[in-house]
Amino acid sequence: MMRTLSPARLANALSAQDRKRLMEYGREHNFPQGTRLFEEGSVADRFWIVRSGTVTLDMRVPGRGAAIIERLGPGELVGWSWLLRPYIWHNSAEAETPVRADEFNATAVRTAMNEDPAFGAMIGNWVTSVLAYRLQGTRLRLLDEYALHGGVVLTSRTSGA
């Protein structure tokens, strides 16, 4: 499957000035392979930008365990739930390989966003584009999964989403 430039990659989404400002709130953190970064349903109080390695996003599937929904690499955002109330993770994440990342305190970044509306808009637009990109990717993977397991009837509906 061919991938377009991911908006999750920081360099594709924010200006150099906004990247520099965001990095003021980050600190380097390393995760050994197999480390769980966060669990679905827990408090989303931080996020990461991968420097090296691979992080998998997964979600619980009743009767099947965890299903990988995305693999994230260098420059990509790990976590968006920190931006939206009630600040609870909607999926889980694990270091598939050893990972070096910049870790950000969500409260500090949200405070900076509130204090500087232009900065806040840039970060909010970035995270929203990441969310939309990942939602589309998940939709395509679900369609593939249903196609592999026998016919599914797809109906066309319009919505305001």
Side-chain angles (χ1 to χ4, degrees):
M1 169 171 72
M2 178 182 260
R3 288 183 68 151
T4 58
L5 287 179
S6 169
R9 292 190 191 281
L10 187 63
N12 296 343
L14 300 179
S15 70
Q17 179 180 343
D18 287 324
R19 286 193 308 267
K20 182 178 178 186
R21 174 125 187 245
L22 177 62
M23 296 310 292
E24 292 173 10
Y25 300 97
R27 66 177 182 84
E28 188 172 329
H29 194 90
N30 297 307
F31 298 98
Q33 180 178 355
T35 302
R36 300 292 282 178
L37 281 70
F38 55 86
E39 294 293 335
E40 185 176 341
S42 62
V43 175
D45 60 354
R46 67 198 71 218
F47 63 96
W48 300 264
I49 297 171
V50 177
R51 286 183 174 217
S52 65
T54 304
V55 172
T56 58
L57 299 179
D58 61 72
M59 60 185 294
R60 291 182 221 134
V61 178
R64 294 182 65 189
I68 293 175
I69 57 173
E70 187 82 38
R71 283 186 168 79
L72 305 175
E76 291 193 287
L77 173 67
V78 178
W80 54 264
S81 300
W82 63 272
L83 186 59
L84 305 171
R85 289 183 193 275
Y87 312 126
I88 301 295
W89 293 116
H90 292 269
N91 53 32
S92 302
E94 182 173 310
E96 184 174 52
T97 66
V99 171
R100 198 174 102 216
D102 290 307
E103 181 177 84
F104 299 83
N105 176 296
T107 301
V109 173
R110 286 192 307 264
T111 298
M113 292 170 66
N114 289 334
E115 290 173 353
D116 181 346
F119 178 71
M122 289 296 295
I123 299 298
N125 287 336
W126 171 46
V127 174
T128 301
S129 67
V130 168
L131 182 55
Y133 180 80
R134 292 195 182 146
L135 182 60
Q136 179 65 12
T138 300
R139 178 181 169 274
L140 293 173
R141 280 185 293 286
L142 284 172
L143 288 172
D144 286 345
E145 179 70 21
Y146 280 110
L148 289 173
H149 290 95
V152 63
V153 177
L154 300 177
T155 60
S156 176
R157 294 194 302 178
T158 56
S159 80

